[in-house]
Amino acid sequence: MSRGAAHRNRPWSRAVAAGALAVAALTLAPSADGTPGRTETAVESTSPVTEVTETEVSVRIPLPVSAGSHPARCDWLSYLRYRSSDGPSKSADADRVLVAQPGILEGAGAFDSVARNTVKAAAEKGRHIEFWALDRRSNCLEDNAGIGTGNAAKAVGYYYGGKQVDGREFDGFLTSGQAGWLAEVGLEQTVRDQYDLLSAELPGQKLRKEKVLCGGHSLGGVLTGVFATWDFDSNPATKADAGFNQCAGYFALDTTISTSLDDLNGTSPGPGGSLLPGLIPDTSIGYAAVQAGLRTGVLPRFLALPAVLNPETMNLLALSGLAAREAPDAESALLDSVPSNANIETTGRMLFSKNPEVFLKGSPTIRDFRLTNEAVLGAFMDDHSAPLAFIQTSVGFFDSAGGSGSGGAGIVDKNFPVSNSDPAQPALFGTELKAIPDEPGGPLYTWRNYDRVGAADDPVYRSASGAPFTAAAKEVTDIGELARSLSEQPLDFTEDYFPTRLVTDIQLIDDPQLAGKLVHKEGLTANPKVTFVAGDGILADHIPQDENPVILPGYQHLDVLTAAPVQNDGSRERIAAGLAEFTH
């Protein structure tokens, strides 16, 4: 990821398409080698929420020597800072500071919409708050120079054509063997990073206890729970350093504030199991064996599958977001311009096969269809198309000129990986009927945005069962804003190199080497909290009722981050409104 302006000497520094990042000359606390200890850089955004000032903040907090050899840029911690444009310039003077941990495979940029909406909603109530979207250290390994050009063709040329950006060629996506230091990035390093960052940015424990609200999305809720119970000075008798005493309250976005994955059992593995086959190593071998496997490279240092979930396909999501932002209604050339390698082809078949027969045959492929750039992005991430619930958003539906509804324009049931007629559809694939274009080489398939579903000109496409695939109440996110969040932010939406150890540590959290740090169990209930749950998401039936969750009808797992400020019924987005109220 890009880091602050003063140490952006690495050639793949990112330039935002809407206007290059303007340097805000705020550099503090030089380190021993003379480099600045902090940088803050203005972010120019095309967001329609214009009353919010966004900056990228980077603070030099080196990894311990025990982490081993690692890139110098990974000695920096970064976050996106959102604040009221007419509010105080100093974080310490804000009424509240919300600090958010991302979920699995997720970066700071994923919070852009909810951060902006929340800051604006609070300002309308006369309160000037800040929202800090954290980036984990592993994001430092990503090369976003191609996306940063703001041009999809240039980006593809950089990643696949040997073209230079800022005088540098792309070195390729990293392998596990090239990221050995990630074996040391587990729970302890992650919560320590949050503690050190808060201590550096808001000096004074009493100030943090008064101002900071700690929370996160998905796995970020569990990380917040771990943070709350962690003892940071290795002396349980002293509690000023305890995680819960760095926070005035907690917020959970489609998650719970806990120290276990049990509450997230809509997606979580059981002991020794896996979120997806082959994604998370078997932890039944025990803590010591897992650590040895990570350190020797027997186990992968970051999570990856040969299709859908790996650094190249995460980058493909950003590319599709960039193309959709740059030319939303243009016929997509993206999939014809990226190479036909095994990884991309397998991903395409996984995401865009009508049924098992098409998947096995490998034809027709997504390349055989005429799709706009927005329709490609929708195919990848909409809840009526994407096969994996934890990457789903509710951004609208396929459409086509001349569509007549009831399967018109060749929009039919998508019965892969599971069938729409299967009443026992696994939660991993979501609950919505899936749809897919069915006329290769035929009409240009377009995208009907969330706020055009149910409009007078909506043909109301239907499943073979006769049921409409979707309705206005089930659509909550603007696809244009999703595209912007995926491709415009200097700290991006995804986490391409998610450390395996972070998840295995959570699965093995009762091991004495970890449990001895989570000594302040009272921390989970020491502060007030608010919990928001996606009503159509994979966790809707798994969040305990004693959490008093605010259920959000129509929302999917990512919608809690990306939902539009004004919903289809004319109401304000409920999470932003609820978080703003919680800051009082």
Side-chain angles (χ1 to χ4, degrees), residues 98-102 111 131-135 213-217 251 253:
L98 284 73
V99 179
Q101 274 278 358
F111 288 97
F131 193 113
W132 295 3
L134 304 183
D135 233 17
L213 300 175
C214 303
H217 172 240
F251 60 96
L253 305 177

Side-chain angles (χ1 to χ4, degrees), residues 246-263:
Q246 318 311 309
C247 312
Y250 310 126
F251 60 96
L253 305 177
D254 212 31
T255 184
T256 58
I257 306 300
S258 65
T259 59
S260 167
L261 292 172
D262 290 346
D263 287 343

Side-chain angles (χ1 to χ4, degrees), residues 128-177:
H128 296 301
I129 68 170
E130 296 195 5
F131 193 113
W132 295 3
L134 304 183
D135 233 17
R136 285 187 285 267
R137 271 192 205 268
S138 53
N139 290 95
C140 68
L141 293 175
E142 298 165 5
D143 179 350
N144 294 314
I147 303 298
T149 65
N151 180 282
K154 288 181 179 178
V156 171
Y158 178 71
Y159 294 115
Y160 295 107
K163 303 296 185 181
Q164 291 190 351
V165 171
D166 295 336
R168 181 186 188 275
E169 291 185 10
F170 181 54
D171 289 334
F173 298 102
L174 299 179
T175 64
S176 175

